[in-house]
Amino acid sequence: MTSATTEEYSAGNNDEEGERVALTPLSIEAADDHVVVHDETATPTRAQAVFAIIRRASTTRRCCLLLLLALCTTISFIVTHDLHTSIPRLFGIKKSALSIEPVCLSTELSHDEHTVSVDQMDLNRVATAFSKRLSSYAIQSTGFEWDERDAKTSKWRPQGVTTLHAGHHHYHHHQQQQPFEEESKSSDASLQHGERYVLTSWYERKEDGYAGRGARISFVNVTDMQQTNSYSYRHVLLVDSNFCTLPGIHVGGIEYQRELLHVVDSRKGMQSVIEFDVHNDLYELPQEMRDEMFGYRYVLVASASFHVPTKPSFISYDIDSDQFIVGTYTRCGNKVGIHVDSKNCYSQPNNKLVWFDKDNVSLDSPMPCGHYFSEMQGATSARVGKNTVIWVSSSYGGVGSSHLHMITTNILDSSACPDVDLSSSNSVATHRFLPGLEDLHIEQTGNGRYLWSLTEFGTRMVFATAINDLLVP
């Protein structure tokens, strides 16, 4: 069995290995073999004090106290299970600032001896497949839910999504410039070989003691999608070129294009996109080194980065115009509230999207396009007939509904921003989804195009919806 720290095997917080072991409380103060001797004269615990008060109360007061206790327990369960947070955090109350330092491997690894391909990884977790209606238009979506540990953990939160077809070069649809109605199975030769993966990004929650881990990518094998009830997957830790973790990175969006995984870095002073060569820089750690990386067996090493002209909260790719897209998340309102997409928020200066050629982008160019929606979590675009359609996901928190906006505009020109009027009901349609809708990604398949997304809160799901099904009147 893989060696790992006690922390990694604590109930509900297993980061990496999937073997069943005896679970111990998450603690750095007591040794594993510590025996607790109960002292009747010791100071009672909070729970003991509460039940002592209840026992001494009159029957009426006892009933009221029990009802209050049940209510508090229910609220606490909803906050931790569905919102994946704590009550203080829900109201914007943060713990004191933590010093976050990267965690690094102590020994340099040989590239030739320790790199593996994606399809050589040992996938040690299982996601459950589903097909159900998720939006306000009752559109059918297909996807999966995480295993119990990843579905419930508050230590990590899912953010970005993209797809990868292993074993061949990625397909560039822009060479054909065809609208959706003209697609055929022969238009995507890349899907005839290799395995198909969905990749998602997760960021660590420093408030929950995971400050040094940074971010991880889940590789989910969905090659037999539509033909199986489950998908195998594995978490891979992201590290920089020095094999150090990336603490504080939010990984709000990811996009696999041109043989590279692109990961946004919105940390202060960064404003960049980090590139990871999935096919050449995926390392399998020796058994004796895995404890240094929190029990992870695989790490993905960064190869390069480039700056973009706005804070990159998410990233995607327009297949038809051959351009990347990044955008900025901006909260409209106070910390305690729900997502409403108020028109009063449309004019915020940071509600920006940028379409760009990766070979011609910098901190100053091209100019961002705006204004778009507040609380944007993802955006992508593609040609549909004689128009371009822009999809924008927006959400905040785990209570209010999320929105998927569909904006119909002119065919994108690489030198100009799209002509967008958010107030026009003729050009903007909105789907309502479950809370916590995040990143967006368009996948080209032999059966057409699919829009991928995922949810951060509640029942965490990753799902694809046929583009043609989203084109409601």
Side-chain angles (χ1 to χ4, degrees):
M1 188 184 80
T2 299
S3 173
T5 60
T6 301
E7 182 179 3
E8 298 303 300
Y9 292 114
S10 300
N13 299 322
N14 303 22
D15 275 356
E16 166 54 6
E17 300 304 322
E19 294 87 344
R20 297 295 181 182
V21 297
L23 303 180
T24 58
L26 182 61
S27 173
I28 60 174
E29 297 177 352
D32 292 341
D33 58 354
H34 179 65
V35 178
V36 178
V37 179
H38 295 280
D39 183 356
E40 297 298 333
T41 64
T43 303
T45 65
R46 291 182 181 178
Q48 290 171 333
V50 169
F51 283 107
I53 293 173
I54 292 175
R55 285 196 301 269
R56 289 195 296 268
S58 63
T59 301
T60 302
R61 289 183 177 179
R62 186 180 302 169
C63 291
C64 293
L65 288 170
L66 288 172
L67 286 173
L68 180 61
L69 181 62
L71 178 62
C72 292
T73 302
T74 301
I75 293 174
S76 178
F77 175 81
I78 292 173
V79 168
T80 55
H81 181 269
D82 292 338
L83 307 186
H84 305 284
T85 189
S86 63
I87 292 178
R89 285 284 300 167
L90 183 66
F91 290 94
I93 302 173
K94 298 182 179 181
K95 294 182 179 180
S96 58
L98 297 171
S99 176
I100 306 175
E101 297 294 334
V103 176
C104 306
L105 278 181
S106 59
T107 305
E108 185 176 342
L109 293 178
S110 166
H111 182 276
D112 295 335
E113 293 181 9
H114 297 289
T115 53
V116 296
S117 64
V118 172
D119 51 10
Q120 288 176 328
M121 282 197 300
D122 177 23
L123 307 183
N124 64 341
R125 298 194 177 200
V126 178
T128 303
F130 70 75
S131 179
K132 55 179 132 181
R133 303 181 188 276
L134 298 176
S135 80
S136 54
Y137 286 89
I139 298 169
Q140 194 79 8
S141 297
T142 302
F144 57 86
E145 297 175 10
W146 304 104
D147 79 357
E148 185 177 6
R149 293 161 294 178
D150 295 323
K152 294 181 178 180
T153 182
S154 62
K155 307 291 185 182
W156 294 93
R157 284 190 179 178
Q159 295 292 300
V161 64
T162 190
T163 53
L164 178 154
H165 302 141
H168 50 68
H169 293 290
H170 199 71
Y171 175 75
H172 295 290
H173 181 76
H174 71 275
Q175 296 173 347
Q176 294 194 8
Q177 293 287 330
Q178 298 204 4
F180 293 138
E181 295 87 277
E182 298 177 16
E183 291 173 349
S184 66
K185 291 187 177 182
S186 61
S187 69
D188 191 2
S190 72
L191 294 180
Q192 307 305 315
H193 307 284
E195 295 188 317
R196 179 184 177 205
Y197 290 84
V198 172
L199 277 58
T200 66
S201 60
W202 305 66
Y203 76 95
E204 45 75 20
R205 298 277 294 165
K206 61 180 181 293
E207 295 86 356
D208 290 297
Y210 269 33
R213 289 160 177 76
R216 68 186 186 187
I217 300 291
S218 300
F219 286 76
V220 188
N221 191 329
V222 295
T223 304
D224 297 323
M225 204 164 184
Q226 311 286 355
Q227 301 176 17
T228 182
N229 294 323
S230 61
Y231 310 115
S232 299
Y233 69 97
R234 186 152 203 147
H235 301 310
V236 175
L237 200 64
L238 293 183
V239 295
D240 65 17
S241 58
N242 296 315
F243 288 86
C244 297
T245 59
L246 304 168
I249 192 170
H250 193 70
V251 289
I254 57 176
E255 180 67 30
Y256 175 80
Q257 287 292 332
R258 306 178 187 178
E259 311 304 314
L260 297 172
L261 177 65
H262 300 81
V263 177
V264 295
D265 188 353
S266 58
R267 290 176 294 180
K268 186 176 181 180
M270 297 300 181
Q271 197 168 311
S272 62
V273 176
I274 307 175
E275 296 175 328
F276 295 83
D277 189 337
V278 177
H279 304 289
N280 293 300
D281 293 328
L282 178 61
Y283 284 75
E284 181 175 7
L285 299 181
Q287 181 83 27
E288 65 274 11
M289 298 180 69
R290 295 174 191 174
D291 280 356
E292 298 180 30
M293 289 285 105
F294 311 103
Y296 282 84
R297 181 172 175 177
Y298 302 96
V299 297
L300 182 59
V301 182
S303 57
S305 65
F306 59 89
H307 291 293
V308 290
T310 190
K311 180 181 178 180
S313 301
F314 47 83
I315 187 171
S316 66
Y317 180 75
D318 186 311
I319 302 173
D320 300 303
S321 69
D322 191 23
Q323 295 182 95
F324 285 88
I325 308 160
V326 295
T328 303
Y329 170 91
T330 305
R331 171 70 177 139
C332 183
N334 54 35
K335 288 184 177 294
V336 181
I338 60 174
H339 176 66
V340 293
D341 260 337
S342 168
K343 292 185 177 181
N344 297 330
C345 299
Y346 289 179
S347 60
Q348 288 187 128
N350 291 325
N351 294 346
K352 300 174 182 178
L353 296 177
V354 181
W355 283 260
F356 63 91
D357 180 346
K358 194 172 74 171
D359 297 325
N360 188 26
V361 65
S362 68
L363 285 171
D364 305 315
S365 178
M367 289 294 293
C369 303
H371 305 288
Y372 285 87
F373 304 95
S374 62
E375 294 145 20
M376 294 188 295
Q377 303 283 1
T380 191
S381 61
R383 182 178 170 183
V384 179
K386 297 180 179 180
N387 297 304
T388 288
V389 173
I390 305 167
W391 288 271
V392 177
S393 60
S394 59
S395 68
Y396 177 78
V399 178
S401 296
S402 303
H403 294 140
L404 178 64
H405 307 283
M406 186 179 75
I407 308 166
T408 303
T409 183
N410 53 292
I411 295 293
L412 284 181
D413 186 312
S414 59
S415 62
C417 289
D419 182 14
V420 172
D421 180 6
L422 297 184
S423 62
S424 172
S425 58
N426 294 326
S427 60
V428 179
T430 300
H431 298 265
R432 198 166 59 250
F433 275 82
L434 298 172
L437 195 67
E438 290 289 322
D439 195 24
L440 299 177
H441 164 74
I442 291 179
E443 180 189 24
Q444 174 76 52
T445 76
N447 296 317
R449 292 178 174 177
Y450 291 84
L451 182 69
W452 282 91
S453 191
L454 72 167
T455 55
E456 178 179 1
F457 300 106
T459 302
R460 290 170 168 165
M461 296 177 286
V462 183
F463 57 92
T465 308
I467 289 289
N468 285 331
D469 291 343
L470 290 168
L471 302 178
V472 297

